Amino acid sequence: TIDDSKSLLSILDVAGGTGDVAFRFVDAANCEERSKSSGKDEVNVTVCDINPEMLRVGESRARKRYGSALFDETCALKFVEGNAQCLPFEDNSFDLYTIAFGLRNVTDVDMALRDALRVLKPGGRFLCLEFSHVQNVPLAQLYDIYSFHVIPKLGEVVANDRDSYQYLVESIRKFCTQDELVTRMKTAGFEGVKYTNMTQGIVAVHEGWKPL
């Protein structure tokens, strides 16, 4: 349960176990400075991930980076284990929901989108950063060659893990297109849905709003 009765801004970062996205919110909101004084922070960031080991790594990194007051006194940052398809939070809990390179790995994307809408407050914003599809045909062909022939080989040479990098490439190709994700977000109930391509569509940012 998230007690946000005194929060000006309540943020949920899903599939963000190691904390990289959350740390940027904490830094931008200057939560570390406020943790030096007493009282609960008016900005809180919750990291939710299905992998408990990732959460342990994230919390350990956060405590080393910010100290324990951010957790134990101001409650500006929390790490919570949970599944994106059935989040362990009450309805209408968050102002902002972010998920970076995680939606592609969810078993039931539509269920996760519906639950994202559920936990957002009316007027809350959904932001998804995800690998997507290059829409320029010649560039897409070059990207396919690089993806299927170079990336797995790099994984094998650098990380001794060809299979994981092969999965990465295949999961990106199997994931829905930019326009398909727009449709699925609208079906889940989001309004004002749009996307912005980055690097010619290799990555895209999708956004939408929960109706008031």
Side-chain angles (χ1 to χ4, degrees), residues 3-192:
D3 178 12
D4 62 351
S5 57
K6 296 182 179 180
S7 295
L8 290 177
L9 181 63
S10 188
I11 300 167
L12 174 64
D13 181 44
V14 175
T18 55
D20 295 289
V21 173
F23 294 168
R24 283 160 175 76
F25 286 126
V26 168
D27 293 342
N30 205 23
C31 294
E32 183 180 12
E33 185 64 30
R34 285 195 300 280
S35 72
K36 299 173 184 176
S37 60
S38 61
K40 188 175 178 181
D41 202 317
E42 293 178 325
V43 176
N44 65 70
V45 182
T46 300
V47 179
C48 184
D49 200 290
I50 199 170
N51 188 324
E53 183 56 37
M54 294 278 280
L55 290 168
R56 280 192 289 271
V57 170
E59 182 166 346
S60 176
R61 291 178 66 208
R63 288 186 183 274
K64 289 177 182 177
R65 180 170 177 154
Y66 301 114
S68 294
L70 210 68
F71 294 88
D72 304 329
E73 296 176 26
T74 61
C75 301
L77 183 60
K78 305 177 186 71
F79 286 79
V80 178
E81 185 176 345
N83 188 326
Q85 297 172 186
C86 48
L87 294 164
F89 309 112
E90 295 180 358
D91 297 358
N92 307 316
S93 292
F94 298 96
D95 300 288
L96 175 64
Y97 175 118
T98 62
I99 182 166
F101 304 113
L103 191 62
R104 186 183 78 258
N105 296 317
V106 174
T107 303
D108 189 329
V109 171
D110 297 311
M111 188 175 180
L113 291 173
R114 290 192 298 270
D115 217 44
L117 188 79
R118 178 186 67 80
V119 300
L120 279 170
K121 298 176 184 176
R125 190 179 190 186
F126 172 90
L127 286 169
C128 172
L129 174 67
E130 187 55 87
F131 290 113
S132 199
H133 296 266
V134 176
Q135 296 174 322
N136 177 284
V137 174
L139 184 59
Q141 292 172 340
L142 289 174
Y143 183 50
D144 276 345
I145 293 170
Y146 173 76
S147 297
F148 285 99
H149 296 283
V150 178
I151 291 178
K153 186 63 177 178
L154 283 174
E156 182 178 11
V157 172
V158 176
N160 194 29
D161 187 3
R162 183 185 183 92
D163 290 345
S164 292
Y165 287 83
Q166 185 71 36
Y167 165 77
L168 170 66
V169 172
E170 291 174 358
S171 69
I172 292 169
R173 291 303 179 276
K174 290 177 182 177
F175 193 61
C176 54
T177 66
Q178 291 91 323
D179 290 325
E180 287 169 347
L181 185 53
V182 165
T183 298
R184 294 170 85 165
M185 287 174 62
K186 289 179 178 178
T187 300
F190 287 100
E191 294 182 345

